[in-house]
Amino acid sequence: MSYAIEGRTGPWEIVVGLEVHAQAITKSKLFSGAPTAFGAEPNSQVSFVDAAFPGMLPVLNQEAVAQAVRTGLGLNAQINLVSRFDRKNYFYADLPSGYQISQYEHPIVGAGQIEIQLADGTTRQIGVTRLHLEQDAGKSLHDQHPTKSYIDLNRAGVPLMEIVSEPDIRSPEEAGAYVRKLRSILRYLGTCDGNMEEGSLRADVNVSVRKHGEPYRTRCEIKNVNSVRFVMLAIEAEAKRQIEVWEGGGTVEQETRLFDPNRGETRSMRSKEDAHDYRYFPDPDLLPVVLDEAWVAELKAALPELPDAKQARFIGDFGLSPYDAAVLVAERATADYYEAAAAGRDPKQAANWVTGDLFALLNRTGRTIEDSPVSAAALGALLGLIADNTISGKIAKQVFDIMAETGEGPAAIVEARGLRQVTDTSAIDAAVDAVLAANPDKVADYKAGKDKMFGFFVGQVMKAMAGKGNPGLVNAALKARIG
Amino acid sequence: MSLDPATVRRIARLARIRVEEAQLVPLGHELSGILNWIEQLNEVNIDGVEPLTGAANMALRLRPDVVSDGGDVEGVLANAPDRAGSFYAVPKVVE
Amino acid sequence: MVFDLTLAEARAGLRRRDFSSRELTSAFNGAIAALNPTLNAFITTTPELALQQADAADVALARGEHGPLTGIPLAIKDLFCTKGIRTTAGSRILDHFVPPYESTVSANLLRDGAVFLGKANLDEFAMGSSNITSAYGPVVSPWTRNGDNRPLVPGGSSGGSAAAVAARLALGATATDTGGSIRQPASFCGIVGIKPTYGRCSRWGIVAFASSLDQAGPVARTVEDCAIMLQSMSGFDAKDSTSADLPVPDFQAACKRGVKGLRIGVPREYRSDDMPPEIETMWQQGLAWLREQGAEIVDVTLPHTKYGLATYYIVAPAEASSNLARYDGVRFSSRTDGADLNELYENTRGAGFGPEVKRRIMIGTYVLSAGYYDAYYLRAQKIRALILKDFTDVFQTVDALVTPTAPSAAFAQGEKMDDPIKMYFNDVFTVPANMSGIPGISVPAGLDAQGLPLGLQVLGRPFDEETVFAVGAAIERAAGFTAVPGMRAGAGA
Ligand SMILES: [Mg+2]
Ligand SMILES: [Zn+2]
């Protein structure tokens, strides 16, 4: 059932398009040699080019171009061998030159698409209209002084890839899935770190509502939403606001709005009230960007396996469920961890361990998979001990906890703590005898037809053997004695 | 054609140039004079002509991604009319 | 008398140790102190710095380690950013701007040993053809009409550079040319000026007016002096994306090539009814000189030439409106306060820019604004393509073109000032070279009946400045132009 918001006049469909600004990973800025690192002293990462001093000229960073091309390839998009930079003219305190160098008419990347997966297991294709390169602006601080704003140009000129979607998104869930998938692809490609807290990934969200089957109505743009959750909340809040306006007999005005997460509502941006006229024209300081086809092919050949392909491989080669595969490929580090741990082991068992015990451990300890207390190799070794019957699955949980706590290897733990599984049948037989002897009434019940009692005996035997009895042999021994 | 005062005001606003009310009409005439003279270009047949965006007829050179600049806070701020520590300062902007 | 020396002669004198750079520089410092109050050719003078540079040059000369310009005193148009020296672009808005960097072109000159006497006056942001738009007052031409002492304009926008060189206040000067701003003042002041091919000189560190048109070049008293200066100023610069990565030929050698066997085109569209007959006469004279020296003169047609000027007055203001947006009172320009940021912008720019600059920013903003882009800017860029095609076509059959530089001799301050379009016509012959990026030189060819210099313009193929120098030098040799302006260093009066 497709998503709808129930209004007084019936259900409303929402229409969402996203413009995601992703900071391209580079050492230096898009048009200058100043560094791009996050969190530096104010105005310490600023060249005279970034500050638009008189006579300063832009020179394009090759790596930023490469990152845009890689991203385009990762989105199965058209790479435009000829593109161009335009100036978008407007005055703002953190825009030093009075124009943003962007790509308006001829972006470097054309149409592509992103497949998203929804909770109900369905998938949808969301169209990508384009990707273009542009400069980031500086930062204005409004809370440092009662009557002044302070300007830091460290971010000015940082390379951004603006990735524009088609208005194909129909629910907050789809929007969330889109941003997560895009982020995942960018991180796989190594073209953007996807860090939304530091602003490396921000979304402008275009929202409109309509009755089913109608053409598009007026949309509003919610600027700079900086988490997946906020994207979803902002869409819902804005859609509801628009529905109220329409149903109240009003008209939604096209405008730029801000999402206020504290109040869970969007509000109009006063500073953007001015009717804009960006007066785009080709930047005369720059020439057309002409890409060499062979260079693009080289970049393509060097691309890593992307989440969709990896997921298909995990399903096809390892027999994982689509859900498990999706969870494992969402982050490249997770997928790499999984593949390393699963090498030569039972892949399904490995998946269960990673998505179960390991994720729980990371959650509990607040660690990431990159600095997991249990390495992929150690987890693999543990799986090996289960496979060769050195320990039971149950004991393995215990060993895993000790591994997490001490950092010791599984084999050493098993040896030192005597956790090795007992396969000596005489020891098992002795334990079985003892349990049966101690519970004559229960034996009688069992023989009278209470089949469930069998589990009780298994449990008691295992308990007597401190959990180390080989479960198969324990079962066999019990069967032999009481049938 | 003559630019009306509202248009002149809009253009001045876009260009962030203060123009006194009394100047709107004379400035409109002046600008219209130039624009009317430019109208002569309408007689040129431009069908099928690709625009020339710049006089340098070549492809853009790309720069290696190397940090070679920045780290000169004082140089960047030395000419500023108003600064606060390492920031430029402007009248408060309300978002 | 050092003031009568050409740059090449002064260079030879320095190398022979006939005089020191300190002596030479002191003489120019003194001449500037005496004449600049009248001519206003410099906005800022740097006499002490010049002497320091001269002393360093003398040390180098004494060691025999001289560069191409060691010890040569020059004027620098105040559009070139000079490290530690105020750079105004002729505007109030940059009244206090001290660049923390040196433009590539001026750095090249310093590398080659030049001495900087000061920053030459110009039209505000290089927008003008008479130097009356400078916020630092108009430049007065060192020339006057016969029997008439009314101050004349030196042309513009490089009017300070041209006046300084003509009045012997410098051996040469840097200049820039967006629509004729090197060639037209050179013509008005009876000196030589060359705008090289777009991309020959780096634009890095030059205050931008119209990025796709701006090009630096020298003004000097002779074609050879211009060749020496351009040699130093030119060259590939990775900091300018439009800089041409091409070797710089030996321009001085090219001056001596001669014109034998060259085909010289005469574009019929440069002939107009309201052109003074003296200019037509001088043009024919120039062609005759070239024919005598072995060139073949052919009539050619550049059908879109007549649209050059109107096209220019779309493209240049459009680019300028954007380039000048950075002067907002936040980082380096003088500020006029306002209640909020937008008021600050409007007050700063309203007070900081002069009328011509505001006019062009307004025109540029208008032609780029929504609904007008196609009708104005895009159309202009298409016509620009047609203008370039005209040149490409004629250069299939001729090696250079010769035209008058300007449609008139210098005029008096106050003349042509009532109507901006009348002023714009000063550049009617020079603008097409900027629109197409080709090189052009102006060489003094004679005087008009009122005793004012008139220049001829030579246009060449892209990156073929050598032919332009060769033809310019041939005209110079034949013209034997020896007239000097009344106001000049060493005039004795
Ligand atoms: Mg956007
Ligand atoms: Zn953007």
Side-chain angles (χ1 to χ4, degrees), chain C residues 84-380:
Chain C
I85 301 167
R86 180 175 79 139
T87 299
T88 68
S91 182
R92 268 305 151 220
I93 212 160
L94 284 177
D95 213 0
H96 306 293
F97 176 55
V98 178
Y101 43 83
E102 187 76 35
S103 82
T104 297
V105 163
S106 53
N108 288 348
L109 293 170
L110 290 173
R111 173 203 63 205
D112 285 352
V115 169
F116 289 173
L117 296 163
K119 303 300 291 287
N121 204 345
L122 70 160
D123 278 300
E124 184 177 4
F125 281 104
M127 296 179 190
S129 311
S130 59
N131 235 287
I132 52 157
T133 74
S134 169
Y136 301 87
V139 177
V140 171
S141 171
W143 295 82
T144 50
R145 291 171 180 146
N146 294 333
D148 179 350
N149 276 333
R150 272 183 305 164
L152 302 182
V153 302
S157 66
S158 310
S161 298
V165 169
R168 276 72 172 152
L169 303 184
L171 287 169
T174 65
T176 62
D177 190 316
T178 304
S181 284
I182 290 174
R183 291 159 288 161
Q184 183 254 16
S187 175
F188 278 20
C189 289
I191 61 170
V192 183
I194 179 166
K195 178 198 92 73
T197 312
Y198 185 85
R200 181 65 92 185
C201 288
S202 169
R203 293 184 298 112
W204 193 88
I206 302 173
V207 175
F209 161 15
S211 309
S212 75
L213 304 166
D214 295 346
Q215 184 57 206
V219 291
R221 296 231 311 283
T222 69
V223 173
E224 185 188 30
D225 288 358
C226 277
I228 293 169
M229 276 191 73
L230 185 61
Q231 194 84 40
S232 275
M233 293 165 70
S234 299
F236 172 62
D237 180 7
K239 291 187 287 191
D240 174 359
S241 297
T242 61
S243 170
D245 193 358
L246 292 173
V248 181
D250 185 341
F251 294 138
Q252 225 183 323
C255 297
K256 303 187 183 82
R257 274 186 188 176
V259 294
K260 202 171 174 64
L262 288 185
R263 288 168 62 87
I264 306 288
V266 185
R268 72 167 71 100
E269 290 79 9
Y270 279 66
R271 202 158 270 138
S272 88
D273 292 342
D274 28 345
M275 192 159 75
E278 289 166 291
I279 290 183
E280 172 70 31
T281 306
M282 187 202 59
W283 189 7
Q284 292 311 319
Q285 177 63 69
L287 297 171
W289 287 331
L290 292 170
R291 204 178 285 115
E292 282 160 22
Q293 295 184 53
E296 185 189 346
I297 308 299
V298 277
D299 281 326
V300 297
T301 175
L302 295 166
H304 296 92
T305 288
K306 65 173 180 168
Y307 301 111
L309 202 57
T311 307
Y312 175 83
Y313 275 95
I314 293 173
V315 174
E319 293 182 11
S321 72
S322 179
N323 281 336
L324 270 59
R326 67 192 58 202
Y327 305 102
D328 59 6
V330 176
R331 281 150 288 115
F332 40 76
S333 39
S334 3
R335 172 185 290 193
T336 305
D337 281 318
D340 60 24
L341 184 61
N342 276 319
E343 233 181 65
L344 180 148
Y345 288 154
E346 292 179 350
N347 292 346
T348 291
R349 294 162 61 79
F353 292 139
E356 181 63 23
V357 171
K358 288 185 202 172
R359 192 152 44 225
R360 295 202 196 185
I361 290 176
M362 297 275 284
I363 289 285
T365 302
Y366 182 78
V367 300
L368 288 176
S369 66
Y372 297 98
Y373 179 85
D374 287 4
Y376 289 108
Y377 190 78
L378 190 63
R379 171 169 283 266

Side-chain angles (χ1 to χ4, degrees), chain A residues 115-195:
Chain A
E115 185 180 280
I116 58 169
Q117 289 160 4
L118 303 171
D120 64 5
T122 59
T123 60
R124 279 203 63 203
Q125 298 291 335
I126 305 296
V128 169
T129 314
R130 58 186 281 161
L131 175 155
H132 66 255
L133 277 168
E134 63 184 26
Q135 305 171 291
D136 204 350
K139 206 166 81 183
S140 304
L141 293 89
H142 305 303
D143 52 0
Q144 306 284 306
H145 187 278
T147 60
K148 291 178 183 182
S149 290
Y150 289 172
I151 312 296
D152 172 13
L153 297 180
N154 279 351
R155 282 201 73 87
V158 161
L160 299 179
M161 302 178 286
E162 179 171 334
I163 302 153
V164 182
S165 86
E166 291 290 312
D168 287 349
I169 294 165
R170 292 289 174 274
S171 72
E173 188 204 355
E174 288 182 10
Y178 174 86
V179 175
R180 273 194 297 265
K181 185 60 174 287
L182 175 57
R183 182 174 176 277
S184 170
I185 293 170
L186 294 168
R187 286 171 55 83
Y188 263 79
L189 291 165
T191 57
C192 172
D193 67 19
N195 191 328

